Amino acid sequence: MTTPLLLEARDLTKSFDSVRALGGVSLTIPQGEVTALVGDNGAGKSTLVRCLTGVQSPDTGQILFRGEPVKLRSPEDARKMGIETVYQDLALIDDLAVWQNLFLNRELVYPLGIVNRRKMIARSAEIMRELDVDVPTVRTTVRRMSGGQRQSIAIARAVAWGEAMVIMDEPTAALGVRETAAVEKLVRKLRERGVTVLIISHDMAQVMRICDNVRVLRRGRSVAAHPVSEVDGDKLVGLITGAIPGNLETAEAAS
Ligand SMILES: Nc1ncnc2c1ncn2[C@@H]1O[C@H](COP(=O)(O)OP(=O)(O)O)[C@@H](O)[C@H]1O
Ligand SMILES: [Mg+2]
């Protein structure tokens, strides 16, 4: 009774000059589950995500999608496989309306090259309704939105296009309690739809609330993987700092 893997990384390495960001990371991401990626600052989480989404190329190692080796040369390659990412900086354009941000670089076009504005506005409103995102109207410019609304819009954009998988890099780091709850609700909705989610989080209570399994990175290595039912906040903190050895650390690596 094993869940099929959507994405798998084998022995990824990535260095920036003398800094070894990834020192041979392997991980598996089960299809349809919410996986947390945790680790201290500098552990390599964002670098790993950038390698999994074609933003950066690993120096060595392999990535498999649905069991097949893939080469991701750009974010576009990941997008074509149905993988969308919500980055820490959100990548929203402030001067554009909500609907324009949702359709950024994917404008619906009529045969003669005319952009189908009405259809995009209608579809945007539908997406926001489906996801229960609270914005005044999709014609409002993003500049006028709160942090939580902006985060929700960035996630909604990823959700709208990420048919297979949505990756989020610290989606609630800058949010208040209510806004965080809204984002967590979105993650649950994704899960209900069968979308695979990878979420980087520093909030262990959040990991316990919304994730199925958790993966711990320490100094560019994957040191532990557990279903959340096997861990608690204290254990996760111990795994992150190294106070508790991980179940994937070899005796050699730990010494
Ligand atoms: N573009 C870069 N140039 C130089 N060093 C980098 C770059 N990106 C990441 N690093 C370094 O790689 C390590 C891992 O960084 P990162 O993946 O951002 O960690 P995390 O997201 O877990 O905080 C850190 O030491 C960081 O300073
Ligand atoms: Mg990071």
Side-chain angles (χ1 to χ4, degrees):
M1 196 210 72
T2 50
T3 314
L5 300 180
L6 184 74
L7 200 62
E8 184 177 354
R10 291 189 186 158
D11 221 12
L12 297 184
T13 66
K14 178 78 181 176
S15 293
F16 301 99
D17 299 320
S18 62
V19 178
R20 199 160 168 79
L22 301 179
V25 170
S26 298
L27 89 167
T28 51
I29 299 179
Q31 192 169 325
E33 294 191 4
V34 179
T35 298
L37 184 60
V38 303
D40 216 343
N41 284 336
K45 305 179 297 296
S46 294
T47 304
L48 175 59
V49 162
R50 285 195 291 266
C51 288
L52 294 177
T53 55
V55 175
Q56 288 174 341
S57 319
D59 298 333
T60 61
Q62 208 179 26
I63 295 169
L64 294 90
F65 183 70
R66 300 190 199 279
E68 299 289 326
V70 288
K71 253 228 138 42
L72 302 171
R73 288 182 186 82
S74 69
E76 194 52 39
D77 285 348
R79 254 180 235 141
K80 282 188 197 135
M81 304 186 322
I83 302 176
E84 286 291 326
T85 314
V86 184
Y87 296 101
Q88 269 168 307
D89 64 5
L90 298 187
L92 295 177
I93 298 186
D94 278 341
D95 290 326
L96 295 182
V98 172
W99 72 270
Q100 288 168 310
N101 270 284
L102 288 180
F103 278 88
L104 206 60
N105 300 321
R106 318 187 203 241
E107 286 82 359
L108 294 177
V109 175
Y110 283 129
L112 287 173
I114 302 163
V115 173
N116 192 341
R117 189 185 155 99
R118 189 179 300 169
K119 212 165 173 174
M120 287 190 285
I121 291 174
R123 177 71 191 123
S124 297
E126 202 175 282
I127 292 167
M128 300 316 255
R129 234 186 351 262
E130 270 171 29
L131 295 172
D132 219 355
V133 174
D134 177 29
V135 294
T137 85
V138 296
R139 292 168 197 257
T140 316
T141 51
V142 162
R143 187 183 297 288
R144 303 173 51 181
M145 306 272 166
S146 73
Q149 286 173 325
R150 296 167 61 88
Q151 189 70 45
S152 298
I153 292 160
I155 294 175
R157 180 172 62 191
V159 172
W161 307 105
E163 286 160 13
M165 181 171 188
V166 172
I167 301 179
M168 304 179 193
D169 195 344
E170 301 195 41
T172 59
L175 302 186
V177 174
R178 266 190 49 214
E179 296 173 333
T180 298
V183 169
E184 291 183 2
K185 193 163 116 192
L186 273 179
V187 171
R188 290 201 184 91
K189 282 219 153 126
L190 281 177
R191 190 174 184 284
E192 278 165 26
R193 291 177 164 197
V195 176
T196 304
V197 178
L198 180 67
I199 177 167
I200 296 180
S201 179
H202 282 292
D203 179 345
M204 297 307 131
Q206 174 173 74
V207 169
M208 301 303 299
R209 273 198 301 276
I210 60 170
C211 298
D212 298 298
N213 64 83
V214 57
R215 169 74 55 167
V216 184
L217 286 197
R218 195 192 312 137
R219 295 189 188 171
R221 301 195 72 104
S222 166
V223 296
H226 293 280
V228 291
S229 56
E230 282 180 5
V231 293
D232 55 30
D234 286 344
K235 175 154 182 184
L236 286 178
V237 171
L239 289 168
I240 288 168
T241 59
I244 302 175
N247 61 346
L248 304 178
E249 285 179 285
T250 60
E252 183 195 2
S255 64

